[in-house]
Amino acid sequence: MNWHLKAFNDLSLHDLYDLLKLRQEVFVVEQTCPYLDADGADEQALHLYARNNADEMIAYARLYLATADTGYSRIGRVITHEKVRGQKLGVEVMQRSIDYLEEYTPKAPIRVGAQVYLLKFYQSFGFEAISEEYLEDDIPHIDMQRKAAQ
């Protein structure tokens, strides 16, 4: 398995196509949630993804570094391909995401907008709820935050 972290302008067309395809397969089709995945935010993000030996994208997360305006870093669009679920790849993509954000912005907390059914998963990484439950695209979510590394 090969891991990559790229800014939007460093993604190849092949990378971009594959990450959009994977996100649509899971978030739109599998979760039957019609929404605009290409939301205009990809250009400001870092894109963390893994490809297997057959060059298939099998894990992905979208990362945002803290800014003076936000004061926190953010992880979003965390996803694993259906065929690799149960192999702890979700744990690996989350840990790598946290590691990168703590390396680049160690004094900033990290936030996620978590689907409620994954609450315990995110808690296992030190995230704590900071909002009430809310609906996003008809799916229950909750905002969570992990304390800054420093």
Side-chain angles (χ1 to χ4, degrees):
M1 182 169 354
N2 299 305
W3 286 92
H4 308 271
L5 180 68
K6 295 183 179 181
F8 183 80
N9 288 335
D10 296 327
L11 293 169
S12 69
L13 288 176
H14 177 70
D15 294 333
L16 181 60
Y17 179 86
D18 286 351
L19 74 85
L20 291 172
K21 182 177 181 276
L22 179 60
R23 288 180 358 194
Q24 289 176 28
E25 285 173 347
V26 176
F27 295 132
V28 178
V29 176
E30 184 180 318
Q31 294 183 354
T32 60
C33 184
Y35 76 104
L36 185 60
D37 178 59
D39 59 1
D42 285 311
E43 292 181 38
Q44 294 79 42
L46 294 172
H47 302 272
L48 173 66
Y49 59 93
R51 290 188 177 278
N52 63 14
N53 292 335
D55 200 37
E56 299 168 305
M57 191 173 291
I58 54 172
Y60 173 83
R62 188 163 76 169
L63 311 179
Y64 297 91
L65 299 177
T67 66
D69 291 338
T70 64
Y72 58 86
S73 295
R74 190 162 41 101
I75 302 170
R77 301 287 204 270
V78 178
I79 192 169
T80 57
H81 194 284
E82 178 181 40
K83 67 176 151 187
V84 296
R85 292 196 195 130
Q87 298 177 23
K88 303 288 185 193
L89 200 52
V91 171
E92 187 171 358
V93 74
M94 274 303 298
Q95 191 58 60
R96 285 177 179 267
S97 296
I98 291 166
D99 291 347
Y100 283 123
L101 291 174
E102 287 183 343
E103 177 183 341
Y104 294 118
T105 54
K107 296 181 180 179
I110 302 171
R111 290 189 181 178
V112 295
Q115 291 185 6
V116 169
Y117 84 95
L118 291 168
L119 187 67
K120 287 186 184 328
F121 174 76
Y122 289 109
Q123 286 173 331
S124 73
F125 294 98
F127 287 89
E128 298 176 348
I130 59 168
S131 77
E132 297 296 320
E133 188 176 310
Y134 59 92
L135 286 179
E136 183 175 313
D137 301 313
D138 290 328
I139 297 174
H141 280 72
I142 192 163
D143 291 332
M144 302 183 80
Q145 181 168 287
R146 175 187 164 96
K147 292 180 181 171
Q150 294 183 354

